[in-house]
Amino acid sequence: MFIGYLRNDFEKDISDILDSDILFELELLKQTYSIYPEYCFAAYESGKIVGVISAYEFHKHIFINILNVLKQYEEVITRLLKLLIQNATSMNIFVLIEKPLENYVKAFNFEKHSSFIKYMHSGEATPFNFSNSIAKQVSGKDYENVSKRIDKEVFMDDRESYIKNDCSFSNSLKLSTQTGFLHSYVVNKRYIRISPWLMQGESYLDAEKLLRGVLYYRGLKKIFGFAPKDIKEITELYESYKFKKESVFSLMYLGEKPDLKLENLYAI
């Protein structure tokens, strides 16, 4: 087995990962690799990728946005994490990892910040009012200014280029009001991910409008997002629109504890 930097022709070698995980975000990996190849590593067995990790660097921290291994190679997580940590010296590192796997990151002295629920909408039609008036209110005409201001308030970091360019795809849907913004993108032909979705405090009504917007515009595709488990107002909003709990994830950190405003973080 070879474990090292992700090779630039990785798309031809990643079929086993794609087959094993319907939600694997190939476009996100490609975009991250184009910006931060130094934070992209993979494990190869007989020329095929059996595990992969990638991360994005912000001003104060690095966020591991992909960590995926074939089930029979689960122990490879340790070696991939070690490589990333070695190449991210003196940086704070965050990762959102499924709860059964959190011991792999705890072994590197990561600590738990909070729990998140992966919510999934089945794609079935949900009856609600979405008038022309609401459509205009969430049109996203001031998306860049709103997202820049609110993202900094929630994450306490400079993520402007990420929000403006690097987390955007050709299939992105950007919705906003003056009190929040919601970004969603196509993972594959069946699934849509909401990420990020941030709101100012006490903006529940606008948050509901944004959620109605993504459900309305994204048609009958399945939609998922990761929401903070212990913020009742947020979880109740998802569940009121027929999102189902699928699994629990842990937000883990190495270094300085992130000062996140979870009550404003509707989808990470």
PDB file of all heavy atoms in Angstrom, residues 2 5-15 26 29-30 33 37 42 44 47-49:
ATOM      1  N   PHE A   2       0.492   2.222  -0.833  1.00  0.00           N
ATOM      2  CA  PHE A   2       1.171   3.512  -0.862  1.00  0.00           C
ATOM      3  C   PHE A   2       0.248   4.559  -0.255  1.00  0.00           C
ATOM      4  O   PHE A   2      -0.921   4.659  -0.623  1.00  0.00           O
ATOM      5  CB  PHE A   2       1.532   3.906  -2.288  1.00  0.00           C
ATOM      6  CG  PHE A   2       1.976   5.345  -2.415  1.00  0.00           C
ATOM      7  CD1 PHE A   2       3.260   5.726  -2.046  1.00  0.00           C
ATOM      8  CD2 PHE A   2       1.093   6.332  -2.865  1.00  0.00           C
ATOM      9  CE1 PHE A   2       3.671   7.053  -2.144  1.00  0.00           C
ATOM     10  CE2 PHE A   2       1.488   7.656  -2.969  1.00  0.00           C
ATOM     11  CZ  PHE A   2       2.783   8.025  -2.605  1.00  0.00           C
ATOM     12  N   TYR A   5       0.778  11.942  -1.137  1.00  0.00           N
ATOM     13  CA  TYR A   5      -0.004  12.991  -1.785  1.00  0.00           C
ATOM     14  C   TYR A   5      -0.964  12.408  -2.824  1.00  0.00           C
ATOM     15  O   TYR A   5      -0.625  11.444  -3.530  1.00  0.00           O
ATOM     16  CB  TYR A   5       0.921  14.002  -2.458  1.00  0.00           C
ATOM     17  CG  TYR A   5       1.567  14.962  -1.500  1.00  0.00           C
ATOM     18  CD1 TYR A   5       2.930  14.886  -1.220  1.00  0.00           C
ATOM     19  CD2 TYR A   5       0.821  15.955  -0.868  1.00  0.00           C
ATOM     20  CE1 TYR A   5       3.533  15.765  -0.335  1.00  0.00           C
ATOM     21  CE2 TYR A   5       1.410  16.847   0.016  1.00  0.00           C
ATOM     22  CZ  TYR A   5       2.762  16.745   0.288  1.00  0.00           C
ATOM     23  OH  TYR A   5       3.348  17.613   1.169  1.00  0.00           O
ATOM     24  N   LEU A   6      -2.137  13.004  -2.902  1.00  0.00           N
ATOM     25  CA  LEU A   6      -3.103  12.639  -3.922  1.00  0.00           C
ATOM     26  C   LEU A   6      -2.515  12.953  -5.297  1.00  0.00           C
ATOM     27  O   LEU A   6      -2.005  14.051  -5.531  1.00  0.00           O
ATOM     28  CB  LEU A   6      -4.399  13.433  -3.697  1.00  0.00           C
ATOM     29  CG  LEU A   6      -5.597  13.128  -4.592  1.00  0.00           C
ATOM     30  CD1 LEU A   6      -6.094  11.698  -4.369  1.00  0.00           C
ATOM     31  CD2 LEU A   6      -6.724  14.129  -4.312  1.00  0.00           C
ATOM     32  N   ARG A   7      -2.587  11.988  -6.206  1.00  0.00           N
ATOM     33  CA  ARG A   7      -2.030  12.175  -7.544  1.00  0.00           C
ATOM     34  C   ARG A   7      -2.999  12.991  -8.402  1.00  0.00           C
ATOM     35  O   ARG A   7      -4.225  12.893  -8.244  1.00  0.00           O
ATOM     36  CB  ARG A   7      -1.768  10.817  -8.189  1.00  0.00           C
ATOM     37  CG  ARG A   7      -0.747   9.978  -7.418  1.00  0.00           C
ATOM     38  CD  ARG A   7      -0.765   8.533  -7.864  1.00  0.00           C
ATOM     39  NE  ARG A   7       0.162   7.706  -7.088  1.00  0.00           N
ATOM     40  CZ  ARG A   7       0.101   6.376  -7.017  1.00  0.00           C
ATOM     41  NH1 ARG A   7      -0.826   5.717  -7.687  1.00  0.00           N
ATOM     42  NH2 ARG A   7       0.977   5.703  -6.280  1.00  0.00           N
ATOM     43  N   ASN A   8      -2.444  13.759  -9.332  1.00  0.00           N
ATOM     44  CA  ASN A   8      -3.293  14.683 -10.092  1.00  0.00           C
ATOM     45  C   ASN A   8      -4.251  13.993 -11.060  1.00  0.00           C
ATOM     46  O   ASN A   8      -5.171  14.624 -11.578  1.00  0.00           O
ATOM     47  CB  ASN A   8      -2.456  15.733 -10.826  1.00  0.00           C
ATOM     48  CG  ASN A   8      -1.469  15.111 -11.799  1.00  0.00           C
ATOM     49  OD1 ASN A   8      -1.574  13.944 -12.133  1.00  0.00           O
ATOM     50  ND2 ASN A   8      -0.512  15.906 -12.245  1.00  0.00           N
ATOM     51  N   ASP A   9      -4.077  12.704 -11.292  1.00  0.00           N
ATOM     52  CA  ASP A   9      -5.013  11.962 -12.138  1.00  0.00           C
ATOM     53  C   ASP A   9      -5.930  11.083 -11.297  1.00  0.00           C
ATOM     54  O   ASP A   9      -6.356  10.005 -11.720  1.00  0.00           O
ATOM     55  CB  ASP A   9      -4.249  11.110 -13.149  1.00  0.00           C
ATOM     56  CG  ASP A   9      -3.293  10.116 -12.474  1.00  0.00           C
ATOM     57  OD1 ASP A   9      -3.062  10.247 -11.247  1.00  0.00           O
ATOM     58  OD2 ASP A   9      -2.784   9.220 -13.172  1.00  0.00           O
ATOM     59  N   PHE A  10      -6.266  11.561 -10.090  1.00  0.00           N
ATOM     60  CA  PHE A  10      -6.964  10.717  -9.123  1.00  0.00           C
ATOM     61  C   PHE A  10      -8.369  10.277  -9.553  1.00  0.00           C
ATOM     62  O   PHE A  10      -8.885   9.277  -9.062  1.00  0.00           O
ATOM     63  CB  PHE A  10      -7.047  11.424  -7.761  1.00  0.00           C
ATOM     64  CG  PHE A  10      -7.864  12.685  -7.739  1.00  0.00           C
ATOM     65  CD1 PHE A  10      -9.230  12.642  -7.537  1.00  0.00           C
ATOM     66  CD2 PHE A  10      -7.252  13.922  -7.901  1.00  0.00           C
ATOM     67  CE1 PHE A  10      -9.974  13.813  -7.500  1.00  0.00           C
ATOM     68  CE2 PHE A  10      -7.990  15.095  -7.870  1.00  0.00           C
ATOM     69  CZ  PHE A  10      -9.368  15.035  -7.671  1.00  0.00           C
ATOM     70  N   GLU A  11      -8.986  10.996 -10.464  1.00  0.00           N
ATOM     71  CA  GLU A  11     -10.364  10.647 -10.845  1.00  0.00           C
ATOM     72  C   GLU A  11     -10.476   9.229 -11.401  1.00  0.00           C
ATOM     73  O   GLU A  11     -11.478   8.546 -11.186  1.00  0.00           O
ATOM     74  CB  GLU A  11     -10.903  11.651 -11.855  1.00  0.00           C
ATOM     75  CG  GLU A  11     -11.336  12.967 -11.248  1.00  0.00           C
ATOM     76  CD  GLU A  11     -12.066  13.844 -12.248  1.00  0.00           C
ATOM     77  OE1 GLU A  11     -13.214  13.491 -12.585  1.00  0.00           O
ATOM     78  OE2 GLU A  11     -11.486  14.846 -12.696  1.00  0.00           O
ATOM     79  N   LYS A  12      -9.457   8.768 -12.099  1.00  0.00           N
ATOM     80  CA  LYS A  12      -9.520   7.426 -12.687  1.00  0.00           C
ATOM     81  C   LYS A  12      -9.305   6.326 -11.639  1.00  0.00           C
ATOM     82  O   LYS A  12      -9.584   5.146 -11.912  1.00  0.00           O
ATOM     83  CB  LYS A  12      -8.491   7.278 -13.805  1.00  0.00           C
ATOM     84  CG  LYS A  12      -7.034   7.303 -13.361  1.00  0.00           C
ATOM     85  CD  LYS A  12      -6.096   7.167 -14.546  1.00  0.00           C
ATOM     86  CE  LYS A  12      -4.630   7.207 -14.123  1.00  0.00           C
ATOM     87  NZ  LYS A  12      -4.268   6.128 -13.202  1.00  0.00           N
ATOM     88  N   ASP A  13      -8.816   6.712 -10.455  1.00  0.00           N
ATOM     89  CA  ASP A  13      -8.478   5.725  -9.422  1.00  0.00           C
ATOM     90  C   ASP A  13      -9.471   5.680  -8.267  1.00  0.00           C
ATOM     91  O   ASP A  13      -9.294   4.888  -7.342  1.00  0.00           O
ATOM     92  CB  ASP A  13      -7.086   6.016  -8.848  1.00  0.00           C
ATOM     93  CG  ASP A  13      -6.002   6.019  -9.908  1.00  0.00           C
ATOM     94  OD1 ASP A  13      -6.081   5.181 -10.823  1.00  0.00           O
ATOM     95  OD2 ASP A  13      -5.082   6.867  -9.816  1.00  0.00           O
ATOM     96  N   ILE A  14     -10.503   6.512  -8.298  1.00  0.00           N
ATOM     97  CA  ILE A  14     -11.336   6.691  -7.116  1.00  0.00           C
ATOM     98  C   ILE A  14     -12.691   5.998  -7.226  1.00  0.00           C
ATOM     99  O   ILE A  14     -13.577   6.188  -6.394  1.00  0.00           O
ATOM    100  CB  ILE A  14     -11.509   8.198  -6.811  1.00  0.00           C
ATOM    101  CG1 ILE A  14     -11.789   8.417  -5.335  1.00  0.00           C
ATOM    102  CG2 ILE A  14     -12.580   8.834  -7.723  1.00  0.00           C
ATOM    103  CD1 ILE A  14     -11.631   9.844  -4.892  1.00  0.00           C
ATOM    104  N   SER A  15     -12.847   5.137  -8.222  1.00  0.00           N
ATOM    105  CA  SER A  15     -14.148   4.507  -8.479  1.00  0.00           C
ATOM    106  C   SER A  15     -14.658   3.688  -7.295  1.00  0.00           C
ATOM    107  O   SER A  15     -15.872   3.658  -7.028  1.00  0.00           O
ATOM    108  CB  SER A  15     -14.073   3.634  -9.731  1.00  0.00           C
ATOM    109  OG  SER A  15     -13.066   2.659  -9.604  1.00  0.00           O
ATOM    110  N   LEU A  26     -17.124  14.283  -4.960  1.00  0.00           N
ATOM    111  CA  LEU A  26     -16.007  14.312  -5.905  1.00  0.00           C
ATOM    112  C   LEU A  26     -15.693  15.737  -6.351  1.00  0.00           C
ATOM    113  O   LEU A  26     -14.524  16.120  -6.449  1.00  0.00           O
ATOM    114  CB  LEU A  26     -16.311  13.431  -7.114  1.00  0.00           C
ATOM    115  CG  LEU A  26     -15.240  13.384  -8.203  1.00  0.00           C
ATOM    116  CD1 LEU A  26     -13.911  12.868  -7.651  1.00  0.00           C
ATOM    117  CD2 LEU A  26     -15.709  12.532  -9.382  1.00  0.00           C
ATOM    118  N   LEU A  29     -13.774  17.546  -3.726  1.00  0.00           N
ATOM    119  CA  LEU A  29     -12.382  17.093  -3.696  1.00  0.00           C
ATOM    120  C   LEU A  29     -11.590  17.719  -4.846  1.00  0.00           C
ATOM    121  O   LEU A  29     -10.467  18.206  -4.647  1.00  0.00           O
ATOM    122  CB  LEU A  29     -12.326  15.567  -3.786  1.00  0.00           C
ATOM    123  CG  LEU A  29     -10.918  14.955  -3.826  1.00  0.00           C
ATOM    124  CD1 LEU A  29     -10.123  15.304  -2.570  1.00  0.00           C
ATOM    125  CD2 LEU A  29     -11.003  13.437  -4.001  1.00  0.00           C
ATOM    126  N   LYS A  30     -12.157  17.753  -6.024  1.00  0.00           N
ATOM    127  CA  LYS A  30     -11.473  18.340  -7.178  1.00  0.00           C
ATOM    128  C   LYS A  30     -11.193  19.826  -6.941  1.00  0.00           C
ATOM    129  O   LYS A  30     -10.097  20.320  -7.259  1.00  0.00           O
ATOM    130  CB  LYS A  30     -12.324  18.149  -8.431  1.00  0.00           C
ATOM    131  CG  LYS A  30     -12.345  16.714  -8.937  1.00  0.00           C
ATOM    132  CD  LYS A  30     -13.506  16.431  -9.876  1.00  0.00           C
ATOM    133  CE  LYS A  30     -13.470  17.243 -11.137  1.00  0.00           C
ATOM    134  NZ  LYS A  30     -14.587  16.848 -12.064  1.00  0.00           N
ATOM    135  N   TYR A  33      -8.476  20.202  -4.265  1.00  0.00           N
ATOM    136  CA  TYR A  33      -7.172  19.819  -4.819  1.00  0.00           C
ATOM    137  C   TYR A  33      -6.597  20.927  -5.697  1.00  0.00           C
ATOM    138  O   TYR A  33      -5.385  21.154  -5.721  1.00  0.00           O
ATOM    139  CB  TYR A  33      -7.306  18.523  -5.615  1.00  0.00           C
ATOM    140  CG  TYR A  33      -6.005  18.025  -6.186  1.00  0.00           C
ATOM    141  CD1 TYR A  33      -5.086  17.342  -5.386  1.00  0.00           C
ATOM    142  CD2 TYR A  33      -5.675  18.245  -7.523  1.00  0.00           C
ATOM    143  CE1 TYR A  33      -3.881  16.894  -5.904  1.00  0.00           C
ATOM    144  CE2 TYR A  33      -4.471  17.800  -8.046  1.00  0.00           C
ATOM    145  CZ  TYR A  33      -3.576  17.128  -7.234  1.00  0.00           C
ATOM    146  OH  TYR A  33      -2.386  16.696  -7.739  1.00  0.00           O
ATOM    147  N   PRO A  37      -3.490  21.510  -2.977  1.00  0.00           N
ATOM    148  CA  PRO A  37      -3.017  20.135  -3.187  1.00  0.00           C
ATOM    149  C   PRO A  37      -2.116  19.644  -2.061  1.00  0.00           C
ATOM    150  O   PRO A  37      -1.999  18.439  -1.837  1.00  0.00           O
ATOM    151  CB  PRO A  37      -2.255  20.229  -4.517  1.00  0.00           C
ATOM    152  CG  PRO A  37      -1.872  21.671  -4.647  1.00  0.00           C
ATOM    153  CD  PRO A  37      -3.009  22.431  -4.021  1.00  0.00           C
ATOM    154  N   ALA A  42      -3.896  10.460  -0.139  1.00  0.00           N
ATOM    155  CA  ALA A  42      -4.690   9.268  -0.434  1.00  0.00           C
ATOM    156  C   ALA A  42      -3.893   8.007  -0.131  1.00  0.00           C
ATOM    157  O   ALA A  42      -2.655   8.017  -0.113  1.00  0.00           O
ATOM    158  CB  ALA A  42      -5.141   9.269  -1.892  1.00  0.00           C
ATOM    159  N   TYR A  44      -3.367   4.234  -1.600  1.00  0.00           N
ATOM    160  CA  TYR A  44      -3.539   3.469  -2.846  1.00  0.00           C
ATOM    161  C   TYR A  44      -3.237   1.998  -2.594  1.00  0.00           C
ATOM    162  O   TYR A  44      -2.224   1.651  -1.978  1.00  0.00           O
ATOM    163  CB  TYR A  44      -2.605   3.990  -3.934  1.00  0.00           C
ATOM    164  CG  TYR A  44      -2.930   5.371  -4.451  1.00  0.00           C
ATOM    165  CD1 TYR A  44      -2.489   6.510  -3.778  1.00  0.00           C
ATOM    166  CD2 TYR A  44      -3.668   5.545  -5.626  1.00  0.00           C
ATOM    167  CE1 TYR A  44      -2.774   7.786  -4.259  1.00  0.00           C
ATOM    168  CE2 TYR A  44      -3.948   6.812  -6.119  1.00  0.00           C
ATOM    169  CZ  TYR A  44      -3.508   7.930  -5.431  1.00  0.00           C
ATOM    170  OH  TYR A  44      -3.791   9.185  -5.920  1.00  0.00           O
ATOM    171  N   GLY A  47      -3.167   0.344  -7.173  1.00  0.00           N
ATOM    172  CA  GLY A  47      -3.500   1.431  -8.081  1.00  0.00           C
ATOM    173  C   GLY A  47      -4.845   2.088  -7.838  1.00  0.00           C
ATOM    174  O   GLY A  47      -5.182   3.081  -8.487  1.00  0.00           O
ATOM    175  N   LYS A  48      -5.641   1.575  -6.904  1.00  0.00           N
ATOM    176  CA  LYS A  48      -6.946   2.124  -6.598  1.00  0.00           C
ATOM    177  C   LYS A  48      -6.905   2.872  -5.263  1.00  0.00           C
ATOM    178  O   LYS A  48      -6.229   2.456  -4.319  1.00  0.00           O
ATOM    179  CB  LYS A  48      -7.998   1.017  -6.508  1.00  0.00           C
ATOM    180  CG  LYS A  48      -8.325   0.371  -7.849  1.00  0.00           C
ATOM    181  CD  LYS A  48      -9.167   1.310  -8.716  1.00  0.00           C
ATOM    182  CE  LYS A  48      -9.696   0.610  -9.945  1.00  0.00           C
ATOM    183  NZ  LYS A  48     -10.533   1.513 -10.766  1.00  0.00           N
ATOM    184  N   ILE A  49      -7.643   3.974  -5.195  1.00  0.00           N
ATOM    185  CA  ILE A  49      -7.723   4.733  -3.943  1.00  0.00           C
ATOM    186  C   ILE A  49      -8.665   4.026  -2.983  1.00  0.00           C
ATOM    187  O   ILE A  49      -9.823   3.766  -3.306  1.00  0.00           O
ATOM    188  CB  ILE A  49      -8.213   6.169  -4.208  1.00  0.00           C
ATOM    189  CG1 ILE A  49      -7.178   6.946  -5.022  1.00  0.00           C
ATOM    190  CG2 ILE A  49      -8.498   6.892  -2.895  1.00  0.00           C
ATOM    191  CD1 ILE A  49      -7.627   8.335  -5.449  1.00  0.00           C
TER     192      ILE A  49
END
